[in-house]
Amino acid sequence: MPRLRAALAALFLTLVASPLHSQDASLPPAATIGVAIHKMELDSDACYRVRDLSFERPELRFFFADGWLIFARPVAGHRIAAVYRATESTDDAEIMLRPSNRSERASLAHSAGTPNIDEHFGMAMLLFTGGGEDLLNAVRENGGKPSPERGLLFASDLGEVARRLVSGMEVRIAHDVLSNASGQGEALFFAAIAGKTLGLFNVVYDPTAYEQILVGKVQGKAQEATFEVWSSYRTRASLRANASVPLDTTLTNYRIETAIDPDLKLHVVTRASLRAQRRVEGALAIEISPRMSITEARIDGQRAEVFRREADRSAITGGGGVNSLNESVLIGLPAPLEVGQTHEIEIRNEGYLIRKTSEGVFFVEDRVNWYPSRGQVFSIYDLVFRLPKEYLLAAPGDVVEEKVENNLRVVHLRTTQPIRLAGFNIGSYQHVQVKRGDYQVDMYANSKADPSLTSHDQHILAIPPTPASQPASHRDPGVVDLAALDAPVNVPARMAEVGAEIAEEFEWMAARFGPPPLKRIAISPIPGSFGQGFPGLIYLSTVTYLDDAQRKALLRKDVSAETFYNSIIHAHETAHQWWGNLVIPATYHDDWISEALANYTAMLVLEQKRGAKTLDLMLDEYRRGLLMPGKPTTVESSGPISWGYRLRENGTLDPWRVIIYGKGTWIVHMLRRRMGDDSFMRMLASLRKRFEYRTISTEEFRAQAAMFLPLGDPDPSLETFFDTWVYGTGVPTLEMSTSVKGKAPEVTLTVTVRQSGVAEDFVAEVPVEIRPAGGGKPIVRWVHTSSDPATIVLKLKAPPQHVELAPRMAVLSRGKGA
């Protein structure tokens, strides 16, 4: 999905912003295709009046009632583009699609106002990396007659726009043509449609993606543009087959040599083992930061062609940020890769990814994609860094050697277990090492923190928002102004203390979840207000390094913010060594699992240190954040947690952050209350053991959690629970009334629970705890709430001592009892 989003961003921004280029035609195969793409023209001899013509792709149906279709001239023997145009009032075309699941139909309704698309349009631009000839043949078989005169007019009016369309996808087109993708059923189809009701929107069918259908539109202009996903889903055929999308090749056994110049330019040589999962010919797509230039590639020592799109690379970063989207680059294959064969690939790249702030603090902007990759698969990493001797390095792995020679610091590290990715940071650090049992924490700190730099990231932990009812100075401290401090920031002051806390947490988690992938963690300070947990490396907000007095002054005595920076952030990022780096989410729909488990692990640590009341206070903060005003009613109503990154919105309050961390924490907490503490902890240990070094989906998580429910649970498969809390939205108001009739020893207790403030189809199971008179084991009964009042009747020997709805915050609700 991230690769497709990057390609779409590149395409759309090319259409609106980038110039066309000319190239030397004396080029290798991919570049030759690129030349043809940039010179592509609409074919006036392939312009047809079409009537009653159907055209289908999986899950998509087009019907051209009347109008004109003009095709592009072939590129490398393929018709890769066509344009539909209505010229008369009676001309019309139509697209029909229906998402394959309820959640995506709800997403489409939320964004486009309709759960299914049946849209009429007067113009569309179509792109195919295979199958364009099929449409042309269908036109001819349907009786279409060419109209060169009309074709000349359309070619003049629409030719440049069509070239911009295909130029934005030149890497994918070249890949599919060279790899014979159309013959392997992997051809891309893209449509830019001018709808009569919905306006401009886009539809994509990509059989190489996990979710083959994508519908949405561009928001904003030029480099500020983003792609708003209306719906993204798997085809019904893919769902029936339960088919995954395996990588055609994998890169493992990484050996990376990195040289950092005094001006902070990176020179990276990556060597890795390239293994084919199926036969691959023509070209191989790899991903890397748009800020990096690949200068050379070799396969088994033989030099290979490198091809990437020409458009302004800064336009592909998806609006900037600290973690730019990957850019696809083609590596030409000197010979086909056969199944099961292993080859040696070497790629050299260079660029500026390290930013130096005004106070001399360093910040690696593209921390995930500074070296080439093919998906984040588990691999051993052997890392060698050469950097100016005055700087220290924070990176994962055991230190094999560290020395200073010729004014360079040379650091050699190697991971003992496979990890998914390797990050790093450098700085004029002070260093403290803390050991706790088998575990080691290397703390690094700058002497100063930069007051000017704030940052936002797709995979960060940010502080929960303070409800809007609080004073303005306390609202969303996701951006922290270190310049507000009167005293100088002494970042290294708490290094040993923070390191000892992290080491203790590291050991505590290992004792409960099993050993982490790496027993050493490097902790690097990062400007801004967030943290990020990589395998063997944690980027930690400089606010965490402040002493208590400075932090309280900075946060204006905001209790939840102080708790976040003092206790939660480093425990959360430490927990990512297990949840996210050892057990990894299968897709973006499942990202919430790793964030929720990491954050709830931090809650467990917080509860151990400060007691259950502090946990309750944090849960209440998360609940208040979810209930803040938003679209359509509250922040929580923005969409289900399973939508993942699609919940993101630009603005002060980001629903993604509030829902992923706030609701995710609540979901895990509700599971804990449902299982009981002992079973819950056993579930986490079992989850780690079963899914270590592999992916986990939301449905697999549901099934795993259900195994640890007590006997008699009203929802033994947890299907209702997940439908309500994971795949749906809503925070109900729950009200309870009780009635006691009779006298001892024959007493009748009637409990009625009413639910409001949610949709009529919202259902939940809510526990009611009855404490008998005179003590004894509490009686727990479950109430199935719905739009109608739910009632339970119990026969008791005496009036109950106390009746409580959803005790110990067992259910996320607005009700007093929960």
Side-chain angles (χ1 to χ4, degrees):
M1 190 66 189
R3 280 189 295 163
L4 179 58
R5 289 180 64 216
L8 286 170
L11 166 61
F12 299 134
L13 294 170
T14 297
L15 287 173
V16 299
S18 64
L20 296 176
H21 299 262
S22 61
Q23 301 180 5
D24 180 0
S26 177
L27 294 169
T32 300
I33 294 172
V35 169
I37 288 171
H38 286 293
K39 293 181 177 180
M40 188 203 75
E41 297 177 342
L42 294 180
D43 187 351
S44 61
D45 292 330
C47 179
Y48 297 84
R49 181 76 182 180
V50 293
R51 290 186 176 90
D52 299 331
L53 175 69
S54 294
F55 170 67
E56 294 186 359
R57 283 291 183 267
E59 305 289 327
L60 307 173
R61 184 169 185 266
F62 289 83
F63 184 72
F64 302 103
D66 255 315
W68 294 88
L69 268 175
I70 181 170
F71 291 82
R73 296 187 185 277
V75 170
H78 294 263
R79 299 275 186 176
I80 62 173
V83 180
Y84 168 81
R85 182 77 176 267
T87 59
E88 301 175 14
S89 60
T90 55
D91 289 349
D92 185 47
E94 185 179 9
I95 178 176
M96 289 160 280
L97 66 88
R98 182 175 184 268
S100 59
N101 62 75
R102 185 184 63 165
S103 176
E104 291 305 321
R105 289 192 290 274
S107 175
L108 189 58
H110 176 77
S111 300
T114 174
N116 310 300
I117 286 183
D118 186 350
E119 179 76 354
H120 293 261
F121 60 90
M123 184 172 177
M125 310 204 81
L126 312 178
L127 180 150
F128 342 75
T129 62
E133 294 83 357
D134 296 339
L135 178 58
L136 178 56
N137 291 334
V139 171
R140 291 168 175 165
E141 291 170 2
N142 201 48
K145 300 295 183 182
S147 175
E149 297 81 6
R150 179 71 69 167
L152 287 171
L153 179 62
F154 286 156
S156 174
D157 289 347
L158 304 173
E160 183 175 340
V161 179
R163 280 195 298 276
R164 293 188 187 280
L165 172 70
V166 297
S167 295
M169 295 292 280
E170 61 187 302
V171 171
R172 177 60 184 269
I173 294 170
H175 174 271
D176 286 7
V177 169
L178 292 172
S179 303
N180 191 28
S182 59
Q184 299 176 20
E186 296 181 356
L188 176 76
F189 171 75
F190 170 87
I193 299 168
K196 295 182 178 180
T197 302
L198 298 176
L200 295 172
F201 69 100
N202 310 96
V203 177
V204 181
Y205 167 68
D206 183 0
T208 68
Y210 170 74
E211 292 177 325
Q212 298 87 9
I213 304 296
L214 177 68
V215 188
K217 67 178 296 184
V218 182
Q219 297 279 43
K221 296 181 180 180
Q223 293 188 16
E224 299 298 322
T226 58
F227 186 74
E228 177 190 351
V229 176
W230 290 357
S231 186
S232 178
Y233 58 94
R234 300 177 69 184
T235 63
R236 288 164 176 82
S238 174
L239 289 170
R240 285 193 299 270
N242 194 27
S244 60
V245 182
L247 291 171
D248 53 7
T249 57
T250 57
L251 294 181
T252 57
N253 188 27
Y254 273 95
R255 288 141 286 148
I256 303 176
E257 297 183 22
T258 304
I260 303 174
D261 292 343
D263 68 351
L264 304 181
K265 186 176 184 178
L266 267 70
H267 304 268
V268 183
V269 181
T270 300
R271 299 178 180 90
S273 298
L274 171 64
R275 186 174 178 84
Q277 308 299 317
R278 61 171 175 78
R279 191 175 194 271
V280 180
E281 59 179 314
L284 172 74
I286 60 99
E287 289 82 46
I288 197 167
S289 163
R291 296 183 176 96
M292 278 293 194
S293 297
I294 296 181
T295 58
E296 184 180 346
R298 294 180 181 271
I299 296 178
D300 294 333
Q302 186 173 350
R303 192 154 187 162
E305 178 190 9
V306 176
F307 177 71
R308 71 194 304 171
R309 62 186 303 271
E310 286 193 17
D312 181 10
R313 291 172 191 160
S314 66
I316 311 169
T317 61
V322 298
N323 219 14
S324 300
L325 295 172
N326 285 338
E327 180 183 0
S328 288
V329 179
L330 290 190
I331 306 297
L333 297 177
L337 307 178
E338 303 296 341
V339 179
Q341 290 184 352
T342 300
H343 304 265
E344 178 82 357
I345 188 170
E346 177 182 313
I347 298 176
R348 296 173 180 264
N349 60 277
E350 60 186 25
Y352 291 91
L353 295 185
I354 305 173
R355 194 196 317 178
K356 185 177 182 179
T357 72
S358 60
E359 296 293 327
V361 176
F362 297 110
F363 184 84
V364 181
E365 295 188 283
D366 290 358
R367 298 182 291 283
V368 173
N369 47 8
W370 57 279
Y371 60 92
S373 64
R374 283 281 298 159
Q376 292 179 357
V377 298
F378 286 101
S379 171
I380 296 294
Y381 280 79
D382 191 287
L383 307 169
V384 177
F385 287 85
R386 293 176 175 84
L387 59 155
K389 68 177 183 179
E390 61 267 27
Y391 303 136
L392 296 183
L393 172 80
D398 293 337
V399 178
V400 177
E401 182 183 29
E402 182 168 354
K403 61 184 179 181
V404 175
E405 57 181 21
N406 299 325
N407 291 320
L408 291 177
R409 183 178 303 277
V410 181
V411 185
H412 182 190
L413 304 106
R414 185 181 296 123
T415 64
T416 55
Q417 296 293 325
I419 59 176
R420 285 200 303 150
L421 70 159
F424 76 94
N425 205 1
I426 68 169
S428 299
Y429 291 142
Q430 296 188 37
H431 173 222
V432 170
Q433 188 176 93
V434 180
K435 291 187 176 181
R436 181 91 178 217
D438 294 334
Y439 304 104
Q440 177 177 317
V441 175
D442 284 294
M443 294 290 300
Y444 297 91
N446 296 298
S447 59
K448 292 183 178 181
D450 181 49
S452 64
L453 183 64
T454 59
S455 185
H456 303 280
D457 197 284
Q458 288 190 354
H459 301 286
I460 63 173
L461 172 65
I463 187 170
T466 304
S469 58
Q470 296 292 323
S473 61
H474 285 200
R475 285 201 300 266
D476 189 6
V479 175
V480 177
D481 182 14
L482 297 180
L485 295 176
D486 294 331
V489 177
N490 184 12
V491 174
R494 290 189 63 238
M495 284 177 64
E497 181 181 348
V498 175
E501 291 174 3
I502 293 174
E504 180 181 357
E505 293 161 357
F506 200 27
E507 186 180 45
W508 184 89
M509 294 174 197
R512 285 152 182 81
F513 309 145
L518 302 177
K519 294 184 177 181
R520 171 185 173 271
I521 305 180
I523 312 295
S524 166
I526 194 166
S529 59
F530 66 92
Q532 191 172 19
F534 279 25
L537 174 66
I538 293 175
Y539 297 99
L540 201 57
S541 168
T542 51
V543 180
T544 310
Y545 287 78
L546 303 180
D547 61 40
D548 290 343
Q550 286 181 316
R551 191 166 52 248
K552 287 179 180 179
L554 179 69
L555 302 173
R556 301 178 179 89
K557 299 182 179 180
D558 185 320
V559 175
S560 64
E562 288 182 43
T563 302
F564 172 79
Y565 285 112
N566 189 49
S567 300
I568 295 175
I569 185 170
H570 48 72
H572 175 110
E573 302 305 346
T574 301
H576 270 313
Q577 300 304 305
W578 289 265
W579 318 125
N581 292 325
L582 188 62
V583 177
I584 59 177
T587 72
Y588 74 92
H589 290 294
D590 315 301
D591 281 344
W592 73 271
I593 299 173
S594 60
E595 294 299 343
L597 288 177
N599 208 48
Y600 200 77
T601 298
M603 295 296 108
L604 292 172
V605 172
L606 182 68
E607 182 182 35
Q608 182 193 42
K609 291 180 178 179
R610 299 194 185 182
K613 185 174 290 187
T614 303
L615 170 61
D616 291 349
L617 289 173
M618 289 307 300
L619 287 169
D620 192 54
E621 284 293 317
Y622 284 126
R623 173 170 52 192
R624 293 167 66 190
L626 291 166
L627 296 177
M628 291 174 67
K631 299 177 183 178
T633 55
T634 63
V635 174
E636 189 275 341
S637 69
S638 299
I641 196 172
S642 59
W643 285 1
Y645 76 89
R646 288 159 52 186
L647 294 166
R648 280 191 172 276
E649 291 181 7
N650 294 326
T652 304
L653 191 60
D654 180 9
W656 174 86
R657 177 163 56 85
V658 178
I659 292 170
I660 292 294
Y661 297 113
K663 191 172 184 181
T665 299
W666 263 101
I667 288 170
V668 177
H669 179 74
M670 288 189 285
L671 288 173
R672 175 191 178 187
R673 289 292 180 243
R674 200 160 189 141
M675 296 175 190
D677 287 358
D678 291 343
S679 293
F680 176 74
M681 296 305 294
R682 286 191 290 109
M683 185 273 290
L684 292 179
S686 175
L687 186 76
R688 183 257 186 217
K689 184 176 182 180
R690 180 180 175 187
F691 290 96
E692 65 179 7
Y693 297 111
R694 52 165 291 198
T695 62
I696 183 171
S697 69
T698 296
E699 283 301 291
E700 287 173 320
F701 179 54
R702 177 191 59 77
Q704 180 75 7
M707 294 169 58
F708 292 85
L709 292 174
L711 292 175
D713 189 280
D715 183 19
S717 67
L718 287 174
E719 289 183 356
T720 299
F721 179 92
F722 273 64
D723 281 346
T724 296
W725 300 110
V726 176
Y727 301 121
T729 63
V731 179
T733 296
L734 298 175
E735 297 176 303
M736 180 183 70
S737 60
T738 61
S739 171
V740 178
K741 294 183 179 179
K743 297 180 180 180
E746 295 183 4
V747 172
T748 300
L749 170 66
T750 302
V751 179
T752 301
V753 178
R754 292 175 174 81
Q755 172 182 285
S756 61
V758 287
E760 288 188 0
D761 60 351
F762 185 97
V763 295
E765 286 92 14
V766 182
V768 176
E769 185 178 88
I770 301 101
R771 297 177 191 169
K777 184 178 180 180
I779 301 168
V780 177
R781 293 290 185 268
W782 290 87
V783 176
H784 186 85
T785 68
S786 65
S787 56
D788 297 323
T791 300
I792 56 174
V793 179
L794 287 85
K795 299 294 184 180
L796 304 174
K797 293 183 179 180
Q801 177 181 337
H802 183 68
V803 180
E804 186 174 357
L805 179 67
R808 297 179 297 283
M809 305 184 83
V811 175
L812 171 60
S813 81
R814 312 177 195 224
K816 187 176 180 181

